[in-house]
Amino acid sequence: MSDPKPAPQQGGSRATMKKELPEKFRDHKHVWVFIEMERGVVHPVSFELLGEGRKLADQLGVELGGVVMGAPGEDTRNAAKEAFAYGADVVYLVEDAVLADYRNEPYSKGLTQLVNAHKPEILLLGATTLGRDLAGSVATTLLTGLTADCTELRVDDDKSLAATRPTFGGSLLCTIYTLNYRPQMATVRPRVMPMPERQEGREGRVVPFKIDITESDIITKILSFMPDRDSNKSNLSFADVVVAGGMGLQSPENFQLVKNLASVLGAEFGASRPLIQKGWVTSDRQIGQTGKTIRPKLYIAAGISGAIQHRVGVEGADLIVAINTDKNAPIHDIAHLAVATDALRFLPALTEAFRARISPHAKDRLAG
């Protein structure tokens, strides 16, 4: 009689993975947020991450640290003070002339040296152009995991970082764990997390750190700075009122109805991904996981079905008004007010109603 065949092994899952950290990572503690600063200005996403990092640090019972890197001077020191005001317990201050302007090589080496010296458990960065560039190279150098463009961060029962992000083109949400490596790294896009309240006069301790880098070690050089005139064509991420359109508008000419309403309200206008793909609207106006994440006080979505890719970019809005003929459209699930009608007929009527009631001087007060 032949030997019985061995039972097939089950596929790998988090439940069957080794949860015990290797010895070399067991002294990694605390939550860090990289404070992104360019030309003396701190990016708001850094403060948003400090608010989220504060929650994670409190759950783990550890300190919240801010990492400030830049040239020696008042701007860099002011960034450290602002980190305290938004929740940091400690700021790791890295001042060096080679950090005057962002370059991947000195920042990656400097942040890697800092992590190896002080061993954080979690490291968060903004999913900006700078943050994405830096996070990827640092994670590669540290041989650790990196979850990009997260929409939610939490501490799991076993104290691991659970980082949730859309996947498969935004059709699904998945939660990713970095179980056996440290630090656990994640990037979060601007406006995904709420801005914490600033605490005037809050202080903490500063830990200076000297990096082992010289200008002669760096291949890339900054010869001059030329600002991109088109880099801020839209201000969707920080607008108080946003009006957006989707495929329910049927033609590019009908998108003018969205612009008209936005003009009357003193609002920004945006669009769902299909309209950008068709070339009806420029890419800087795209709202959703692969576009801009917004947190306005009022969001009006006209003819947008509300696929998950779009929903994760708008669900932080205080008030969502959805206009769609389909009563079962996913956008209605997150809308505070749902109008089941044709946007092509409703938008002109809504525009005229607002035009009749709002004086030109009242537009700025609409979202107040």
Side-chain angles (χ1 to χ4, degrees):
M1 185 172 65
S2 61
D3 295 332
K5 295 181 179 180
Q9 292 185 349
Q10 298 293 322
S13 69
R14 181 167 176 267
T16 59
M17 290 180 67
K18 180 181 178 182
K19 294 183 181 179
E20 186 174 349
L21 271 177
E23 184 68 33
K24 63 180 180 179
F25 294 127
R26 292 182 187 176
D27 56 348
H28 282 246
K29 301 292 181 186
H30 310 304
V31 177
W32 283 11
V33 172
F34 175 76
I35 308 301
E36 179 177 330
M37 181 175 60
E38 283 195 283
R39 311 197 74 78
V41 178
V42 176
H43 197 294
V45 71
S46 301
F47 302 140
E48 296 166 4
L49 286 177
L50 284 171
E52 195 66 18
R54 181 73 271 165
K55 300 174 187 176
L56 299 176
D58 290 345
Q59 287 179 278
L60 291 169
V62 298
E63 288 185 327
L64 173 62
V67 177
V68 175
M69 303 177 69
E74 185 177 354
D75 288 340
T76 305
R77 295 300 175 104
N78 285 338
K81 293 179 182 178
E82 286 299 291
F84 291 131
Y86 283 97
D89 299 309
V90 55
V91 167
Y92 297 91
L93 185 62
V94 186
E95 294 182 291
D96 197 290
V98 300
L99 303 173
D101 291 287
Y102 176 76
R103 289 175 288 176
N104 180 274
E105 188 176 2
Y107 270 75
S108 295
K109 288 183 177 179
L111 186 52
T112 298
Q113 291 174 12
L114 181 65
V115 167
N116 286 331
H118 290 280
K119 305 183 186 307
E121 185 174 8
I122 295 172
L123 175 58
L124 307 177
L125 300 91
T128 60
T129 302
L130 186 158
R132 285 172 171 149
D133 182 64
L134 179 60
S137 58
V138 171
T140 301
T141 305
L142 294 172
L143 301 178
T144 189
L146 169 64
T147 307
D149 290 357
C150 298
T151 58
E152 180 185 358
L153 300 172
R154 59 182 175 83
V155 174
D156 210 350
D157 294 339
D158 62 0
K159 303 300 183 181
S160 296
L161 176 66
T164 300
R165 73 177 310 276
T167 187
F168 289 106
S171 61
L172 294 174
L173 291 173
C174 65
T175 299
I176 298 174
Y177 297 84
T178 303
L179 295 179
N180 295 327
Y181 299 91
R182 292 295 184 270
Q184 301 162 97
M185 291 183 61
T187 62
V188 179
R189 299 197 317 166
R191 303 298 278 168
V192 169
M193 305 301 181
M195 179 71 73
E197 183 177 347
R198 188 179 187 279
Q199 302 175 56
E200 190 68 44
R202 191 176 184 278
E203 297 180 349
R205 74 180 193 280
V206 175
V207 177
F209 184 79
K210 178 65 176 175
I211 56 175
D212 184 19
I213 305 172
T214 62
E215 184 61 44
S216 60
D217 297 330
I218 306 168
I219 297 175
T220 56
K221 306 297 179 184
I222 302 290
L223 301 181
S224 63
F225 175 76
M226 294 180 290
D228 184 354
R229 293 180 180 178
D230 295 329
S231 63
N232 293 311
K233 287 185 291 186
S234 67
N235 192 33
L236 281 169
S237 295
F238 299 95
D240 282 333
V241 182
V242 176
V243 184
M247 286 302 297
L249 297 177
Q250 301 178 15
S251 72
E253 292 76 21
N254 289 335
F255 192 80
Q256 186 62 42
L257 299 175
V258 169
K259 292 182 178 180
N260 291 344
L261 179 56
S263 177
V264 169
L265 296 177
E268 286 280 354
F269 68 87
S272 60
R273 182 168 62 176
L275 270 62
I276 277 73
Q277 293 174 331
K278 286 181 174 293
W280 295 8
V281 186
T282 56
S283 59
D284 65 303
R285 296 285 177 179
Q286 181 180 337
I287 298 173
Q289 175 61 22
T290 53
K292 300 287 179 66
T293 299
I294 62 174
R295 300 185 71 90
K297 295 178 180 178
L298 172 62
Y299 174 56
I300 300 176
I304 295 176
S305 63
I308 191 171
Q309 189 273 346
H310 185 81
R311 291 165 63 187
V312 297
V314 305
E315 58 190 0
D318 291 345
L319 178 63
I320 299 175
V321 178
I323 308 166
N324 198 297
T325 54
D326 183 2
K327 295 180 180 180
N328 298 316
I331 192 71
H332 292 316
D333 295 337
I334 62 169
H336 301 93
L337 296 174
V339 184
T341 191
D342 186 356
L344 298 182
R345 292 190 297 122
F346 190 76
L347 282 177
L350 185 62
T351 301
E352 289 308 312
F354 275 120
R355 195 191 308 274
R357 290 179 174 271
I358 301 176
S359 69
H361 302 291
K363 292 179 182 178
D364 294 338
R365 301 196 301 270
L366 179 67

